[in-house]
Amino acid sequence: MHESETPETTHEWYAHSFDALYPIIYAHRSVEAAVREASFAARELGLSTDDRVLDLGCGAGRHMVHLQGRAVSLTGLDYSRALLNEAQRHLTAPASLVRADMRALPFANHTFDAIVNFFTSFGYFEDDSENLGVVRQMAAVLRPGGRFFVDYFNAEYAVRTLDRRSTRVAGGYELRERRWVDERAQRLNKVTEVYAGPAYEDTYYESVRLYSPRAFTELFNQAGLEITRFHGAYSGGPMEPDRDRMIAIGRKR
Ligand SMILES: C[S@@+](CC[C@H](N)C(=O)[O-])C[C@H]1O[C@@H](n2cnc3c(N)ncnc32)[C@H](O)[C@@H]1O
């Protein structure tokens, strides 16, 4: 594979890469690790027990677990059956879990007071208009004045510190990871080959759009969503070159 090319196999990669192995490969993204993140989001959104909240790209529901009881209703939406099954196991209080594609949200306009979107659950689609389409969907299902919290990666930091090749072990699997930037498409790509001992198991692709804070602001603006501030980490504080997150918080006009 040529390093500057996005392999064709990344097309619709998101339909395969979040299967039952995902919680094993990303075991450090645990329910426990999510406590601080969910609390930060709740605080930044000024969440109240009157709020109807959507966790867009909820995965295994690890943030929903901590948002339970902080909202009058909590809905998690994801495309992965495997992760939604995990979410069902994690949740102890009533919450609604919906399998759908974030490009076509199956909710009426103005259904939610707040939307959370944790850990780079955005920017997946090769066609920029589809990523804009997701933001438009978010805007449609938020009530006027509704708030959003989108936790994306700091592109500048990610490119500057890119570890092109690494190997690690997780859950008994050896994971051979390769990362590269596709300059033309402005995407950060990753391929993970999974081995169980000497036996090859599977290959997972990830590909996300590189957005500067300015590009993110413009994208959201186009959909009628105003980003009012950015944070660079879950400890709060501004985005800076050595902070790895781009957390966008704002409201629908
Ligand atoms: C990086 S994971 C993060 C999951 C969760 N927010 C967390 O922090 O654990 C991204 C999530 O987006 C979901 N996803 C990917 N493509 C999607 C799509 N087209 N529609 C809805 N969800 C999608 C994946 O299944 C996965 O659960």
Side-chain angles (χ1 to χ4, degrees):
M1 188 190 313
H2 191 277
E3 296 253 329
S4 66
E5 285 174 359
T6 303
E8 277 199 10
T9 30
T10 59
H11 186 61
E12 297 197 347
W13 60 272
Y14 48 84
H16 168 65
S17 291
F18 299 106
D19 67 6
L21 263 189
Y22 178 82
I24 296 168
I25 294 178
Y26 287 106
H28 52 288
R29 294 185 183 174
S30 61
V31 171
E32 295 72 36
V35 179
R36 197 170 73 111
E37 298 150 10
S39 297
F40 182 69
R43 202 166 55 244
E44 286 294 318
L45 288 170
L47 220 57
S48 84
T49 48
D50 290 341
D51 283 325
R52 301 157 298 167
V53 177
L54 170 66
D55 185 346
L56 183 63
C58 64
R62 62 198 186 96
H63 296 97
M64 290 180 72
V65 170
H66 306 296
L67 293 172
Q68 285 179 330
R70 297 191 189 202
V72 68
S73 77
L74 187 55
T75 302
L77 179 136
D78 206 278
Y79 193 67
S80 163
R81 282 183 214 283
L83 294 182
L84 286 170
N85 286 340
E86 279 282 295
Q88 193 66 66
R89 287 197 312 113
H90 286 145
L91 292 167
T92 48
S96 147
L97 292 169
V98 178
R99 180 170 187 254
D101 191 312
M102 61 174 79
R103 286 169 291 187
L105 298 182
F107 308 113
N109 287 351
H110 309 174
T111 298
F112 299 103
D113 301 296
I115 297 179
V116 291
N117 176 261
F118 288 103
F119 267 111
T120 318
S121 302
F122 182 74
Y124 291 168
F125 309 110
E126 283 174 35
D127 186 338
D128 277 344
S129 67
E130 291 195 286
N131 295 315
L132 173 60
V134 174
V135 192
R136 287 198 200 281
Q137 289 283 291
M138 289 169 64
V141 302
L142 268 180
R143 69 156 166 85
R147 296 97 76 208
F148 61 87
F149 177 101
V150 176
D151 165 29
Y152 208 63
F153 66 101
N154 179 348
E156 189 192 326
Y157 174 88
V159 171
R160 184 165 43 81
T161 60
L162 195 69
D163 188 2
R164 294 188 160 270
R165 283 178 195 274
S166 54
T167 301
R168 63 187 176 95
V169 173
Y173 294 96
E174 182 181 295
L175 310 172
R176 299 181 194 169
E177 301 166 317
R178 196 160 76 70
R179 305 170 185 82
W180 72 100
V181 173
D182 181 335
E183 295 282 357
R184 186 190 49 78
Q186 280 294 292
R187 298 186 74 84
L188 180 59
N189 298 329
K190 179 177 172 188
V191 176
T192 304
E193 287 175 358
V194 182
Y195 289 82
Y200 166 78
E201 285 275 318
D202 213 338
T203 299
Y204 292 95
Y205 295 90
E206 293 167 60
S207 176
V208 282
R209 182 76 160 83
L210 293 167
Y211 289 111
S212 64
R214 185 175 175 166
F216 224 46
T217 302
E218 280 168 11
L219 187 78
F220 278 64
N221 256 333
Q222 282 183 66
L225 296 182
E226 183 191 7
I227 295 178
T228 52
R229 60 200 181 282
F230 285 104
H231 286 293
Y234 277 99
S235 50
M239 281 185 74
E240 282 171 6
D242 62 345
R243 307 185 96 193
D244 65 345
R245 305 309 296 169
M246 176 171 78
I247 302 173
I249 299 146
R251 61 177 56 246
K252 176 172 168 176
R253 291 198 190 86

